[in-house]
Structures are given as structure tokens and as C-alpha cells.
Amino acid sequence: MTAEKLLEGHIFLLDKPLDWTSFQAVNKMKYKLKSEFGLPKKFKIGHAGTLDPRATGLLIVCTGKFTKKIPEIQDAPKEYWTEIKIGVQTESYDTEKPEILPQDISHITEEKVKEILSKFLGEIEQKPPIFSAIKIDGKRAYDMARAGQEVEMKSRKTTINYIEDIEIKFPLISFTVGCSKGTYIRSLAHDIGQELGVGAYLTQLRRTKIGDYNVEDATSDFLEKDYRFENL
């Protein structure tokens, strides 16, 4: 790796750890690359699709002229490994907030779960979580929600291409989901719980693919203090 190559453009595949924001991961990369290669102050770098702090997995970072590829990468279909817990909910639809509204799930069968999951295939209407980065009147929805303000999210269309590799160990259900740009898996988890009539929230999320890019080819070594980029 050279400074010239980074300025010309490079794509890094990162395996984002739990509790890191996408912004933090990009800033970490930017600092390391600028320090190692003496890059200019206005060195271009950015990620191609936010990944929630409570999620892990594939985060694509583009540098230099390749930042122009970001919109194209963002438009690509995504794949996630997903785990949800039924019979309880959270305000954030994930583990950020405590569990509320416990429900009895003794009547829920594996057949019922699979029947409900199949209802979400194809184009669906979905409301993003109030704890999301969507802007409302110039403000981030999660900032408004954390400040206790009322947040009204508008429904949007999204597409679920497949739900497969379903494993059921009540109260946990895991599966792999392929979806279009803009899909909120937290909202999918919540909506599955509503369809089951017992509530649900997202307990684990790992992004495994963006288009042809796979998390198996990603690295988390960029977090290491002494990590260097000669071989990338």
C-alpha cells in the first residue's frame, strides 16, 4: 500500500466490532492511514452504509477517488445473520434499551414461526425504529428519542429477498435474511413479534454481505495499535 494508491482509491472491508459506531470505525482508519502514510489533511474517506453500534460485521470503507463508488455500493442488496427474542420487547427494538412487556409464548409453535416469517418475503411496508440515524427536521431521530421527544416515523417500502437457515430455540429465533437497501432488521424483528402477537426484539445482528463483498474477506486488525497496511 502506498499514499498514491490510497489517494487514487482503495476499498477496505472491515469487520466492525460490537459497540463501535460506523463513524468511530472510519475515524480510526483515517487516523491510522494519515499517520502511516503522511496523507493530506483533507484526505477523502467514508463508509458505504451505516452499521448500528449493536451490530457487527461488514463495513465497507472507501478512500480517495473511490469514495465516488459509495452510492453504488450502498444501493447493493445486503445480507444479515439475525437473532431475535420473542415474548418481550424493547423501545429501541434491540439490546440498547431494557426488556418490557413480557408475554407468554407457550402457545407459539415452530410451524407458526415459519408461517409468520414467510409473510415478510417480497416487498413490505416498514417503519424505521425511532432510535435510528434518520433525520427529522434536521435532527437525528435517535437524538430526539433519547431526549424524550415524541418521534413519528413514516413507513417506507423495502424488499425482503429471502429468509433462510432458520433455527428455533425458544425464546430465540435465528435466521439469515437478504434484503434491499434501507431495510431495518430491528424493525423486521419488532414486526415479526407483532405478527406473532407476543412481541420480539433483535438480540444479535451481523452483516455478512453487501453485494458481492463478503465479511469472510474483511479484517478487524485495523483496531490493533501496531497494525500496518503494507499488504493491503
Side-chain angles (χ1 to χ4, degrees):
M1 182 66 66
T2 64
E4 290 74 19
K5 186 174 180 180
L6 287 168
L7 293 170
E8 185 62 29
H10 190 76
I11 293 177
F12 290 96
L13 305 184
L14 308 184
D15 189 347
K16 188 190 80 66
L18 189 67
D19 289 332
W20 279 61
T21 67
S22 300
F23 180 76
Q24 286 173 324
V26 171
N27 268 0
K28 182 80 167 180
M29 285 289 295
K30 185 175 184 178
Y31 175 78
K32 282 181 170 288
L33 291 171
K34 287 178 70 175
S35 298
E36 184 165 338
F37 295 100
L39 296 166
K41 186 176 182 180
K42 293 186 178 181
F43 166 60
K44 288 185 178 180
I45 185 169
H47 67 75
T50 301
L51 195 56
D52 287 341
R54 300 300 297 165
T56 66
L58 184 59
L59 182 71
I60 297 178
V61 175
C62 301
T63 73
K65 295 178 181 178
F66 277 22
T67 53
K68 294 179 180 179
K69 295 178 178 286
I70 286 176
E72 174 189 341
I73 297 171
Q74 287 177 325
D75 286 341
K78 315 293 191 299
E79 182 186 89
Y80 299 87
W81 178 82
T82 307
E83 182 188 78
I84 70 174
K85 183 178 180 179
I86 67 170
V88 71
Q89 302 178 52
T90 74
E91 288 182 322
S92 59
Y93 299 175
D94 65 5
T95 57
E96 180 180 339
K97 293 292 184 178
E99 293 182 351
I100 56 174
L101 305 175
Q103 298 284 324
D104 176 39
I105 64 169
S106 60
H107 61 290
I108 303 294
T109 64
E110 292 191 9
E111 291 73 21
K112 181 66 174 177
V113 169
K114 291 177 181 178
E115 175 191 338
I116 293 299
L117 289 177
S118 69
K119 290 183 178 181
F120 287 90
L121 294 173
E123 187 176 77
I124 62 172
E125 288 277 346
Q126 184 183 79
K127 275 191 176 182
I130 60 172
F131 288 85
S132 65
I134 291 175
K135 285 189 175 181
I136 301 174
D137 297 329
K139 298 179 180 178
R140 297 289 185 186
Y142 56 65
D143 288 332
M144 298 171 66
R146 287 166 184 155
Q149 300 177 36
E150 187 173 340
V151 182
E152 180 61 35
M153 307 301 291
K154 295 181 179 180
S155 295
R156 54 176 63 184
K157 292 185 184 296
T158 189
T159 303
I160 304 298
N161 298 315
Y162 55 85
I163 295 176
E164 56 191 28
D165 301 327
I166 301 168
E167 293 188 13
I168 302 172
K169 296 179 181 179
F170 292 124
L172 300 178
I173 301 166
S174 66
F175 50 86
T176 298
V177 56
C179 56
S180 64
K181 170 190 175 183
T183 302
Y184 281 86
I185 307 300
R186 283 184 288 151
S187 291
L188 178 64
H190 174 79
D191 293 344
I192 289 168
Q194 296 305 299
E195 284 290 323
L196 286 169
V198 296
Y201 73 95
L202 186 68
T203 51
Q204 293 189 69
L205 184 66
R206 181 165 176 78
R207 186 155 65 192
T208 49
K209 292 181 182 178
I210 301 176
D212 294 328
Y213 298 103
N214 197 307
V215 73
E216 292 178 359
D217 301 317
T219 179
S220 60
D221 290 341
F222 72 100
L223 296 175
E224 299 299 328
K225 187 175 181 181
D226 59 350
Y227 185 67
R228 300 183 68 81
F229 296 91
E230 293 97 329
N231 298 321
L232 292 177

